[in-house]
Amino acid sequence: AFDLAVPTFCHHEFDGYKAKRKKAPDDLYHQIPKIKEILEAFNIRFFTKEGFEADDLIGTIACLTKNNPDFEVIIISSDTDVLQLVNKDTRAMILQRGISQAVIYEEKDVREKYEGLSPKQLIDFKALRGDPSDNIPGVFGIGEKTAIDLIGRFDSMENLYSVLDKEETKGLIKKSILDKLVSQKDQAFMSKNLAEIRTDHGLSLAQVIRLHGDEVTLQVFAGTRGIGTGDRVSFSGSPMRFSFTDALNALHAASSSP
C-alpha cells in the first residue's frame, strides 16, 4: 500500500498532522513509479486510496482475513504504528535496518514491549503520550511511563475519563496529572482519533486475492516509504516472502539473459 500526495482525513482533523516531518529526498519520490512498475511486472498487487493512508489500507486488508484459518497474515513495515493491528490472526514484522534485521511481533511480544498493554491499547497509549514523528500532540506533560500506567490501570481512555470527576479517583492519580487530563480532554480524544489505524475502507477479499490454479494467494506490498518488502501468504504450504532486492535481482537477471 502507498500513501498519496494528497491530504488525508487526519490532515482535515488536525492541520498540524505530520507538519514537522521532513520532506523525503526527491530521489525517493522518483523511485516510486519504478517500484510500482516492478510490482506490476511481478504480479504483486498494491493499493492506494485518496484521503487515506497506506496504514489504513494495510489494516483493512489484514482485517479481511480475520478468523479465517486459511490465511496467515504478516504485516511488514518499519513503522511500529502497525503493532496496534496485531492479534491472534495477524503478526507484524518490524524492519529495523532495511530488510537485513527485523523483529516479528505476536500479541505476547507487544505486551512484553509495552509493559502489559494489548495491541489495541496502544491507540490509547499514543493518545496520551503523543507521537512526535506524526506530530500527534497527546496530553502535554504526560510521558510514556505515565501513559502506560494510566491505560494499564483504567484499560482505555474512555474508562479513564469516565471516572476523573469521582472523589476516589483523586486518590489514585496525582493532582498535577489529573489537571492535565481534564484541561486537555478534547486534545486527548483528537489524538486518539489521529492515532487509530482505520480498518473499514471498503475493500473486499475478492479485490486482494489472486487465484493460481488450486492455490489462492494474498499479495500485498507493505513498503509505505518506497523501498520496502512484499508479503505473499499462501493457503497451502509455508508462507513465502518476496523482498524488493529479490525483485531487482530477478529483473536484472531477466534483462541480462539472451
Side-chain angles (χ1 to χ4, degrees):
F2 289 91
D3 291 324
L4 293 175
V6 295
T8 67
F9 68 91
C10 287
H11 293 94
H12 295 302
E13 175 86 7
F14 177 48
D15 288 340
Y17 182 65
K18 293 188 176 180
K20 296 181 180 179
R21 182 171 292 185
K22 292 183 179 179
K23 183 179 180 294
D26 289 338
D27 287 347
L28 176 61
Y29 292 109
H30 295 157
Q31 293 179 42
I32 302 299
K34 294 298 183 184
I35 292 171
K36 292 180 178 179
E37 288 178 19
I38 291 171
L39 293 174
E40 289 173 347
F42 282 87
N43 204 30
I44 299 175
R45 188 166 294 185
F46 58 87
F47 298 88
T48 61
K49 189 172 182 180
E50 190 167 321
F52 300 99
E53 296 193 357
D55 282 353
D56 299 314
L57 299 176
I58 292 169
T60 297
I61 292 168
C63 284
L64 291 175
T65 60
K66 190 175 182 179
N67 297 320
N68 189 329
D70 293 320
F71 285 95
E72 178 185 6
V73 179
I74 303 174
I75 299 171
I76 303 174
S77 177
S78 59
D79 191 345
T80 56
D81 287 351
V82 301
L83 292 180
Q84 66 181 260
L85 299 170
V86 171
N87 55 44
K88 65 181 180 63
D89 302 305
T90 301
R91 291 180 288 166
M93 178 184 289
I94 303 300
L95 307 178
Q96 297 182 325
R97 292 185 179 177
I99 60 174
S100 62
Q101 291 186 17
V103 178
I104 295 180
Y105 286 89
E106 298 180 358
E107 284 187 273
K108 62 180 178 62
D109 303 304
V110 174
R111 290 183 182 276
E112 182 178 341
K113 179 177 176 65
Y114 291 96
E115 300 181 30
L117 297 188
S118 70
K120 278 296 182 186
Q121 287 177 311
L122 297 185
I123 304 168
D124 300 78
F125 162 71
K126 184 184 284 192
L128 293 180
R129 186 207 63 179
D131 184 353
S133 67
D134 288 337
N135 202 33
I136 296 175
V139 176
F140 298 137
I142 291 185
E144 181 170 323
K145 184 177 180 180
T146 302
I148 287 176
D149 176 63
L150 289 172
I151 299 305
R153 283 196 286 159
F154 294 93
D155 190 58
S156 70
M157 272 183 47
E158 287 75 11
N159 286 348
L160 171 62
Y161 273 93
S162 71
V163 298
L164 284 188
D165 59 348
K166 294 185 177 180
E167 193 64 33
E168 57 266 29
T169 305
K170 296 178 182 179
L172 299 174
I173 302 175
K174 292 180 180 179
K175 185 179 185 304
S176 60
I177 298 298
L178 197 61
D179 291 343
K180 291 181 176 70
L181 290 169
V182 171
S183 65
Q184 300 179 59
K185 178 179 179 179
D186 290 343
Q187 182 168 290
F189 279 96
M190 178 196 70
S191 296
K192 179 169 182 175
N193 198 36
L194 296 174
E196 184 174 9
I197 294 175
R198 301 299 191 271
T199 60
D200 55 354
H201 290 316
L203 289 172
S204 68
L205 191 58
Q207 290 176 283
V208 298
I209 62 173
R210 296 184 187 274
L211 296 174
H212 296 287
D214 295 330
E215 187 184 68
V216 179
T217 62
L218 172 64
Q219 299 177 320
V220 181
F221 184 74
T224 61
R225 286 171 177 77
I227 303 296
T229 315
D231 177 21
R232 178 177 173 178
V233 183
S234 171
F235 263 138
S236 58
S238 60
M240 296 184 293
R241 287 167 182 72
F242 190 84
S243 74
F244 184 76
T245 302
D246 292 334
L248 286 179
N249 290 341
L251 190 63
H252 177 72
S255 62
S256 302
S257 61

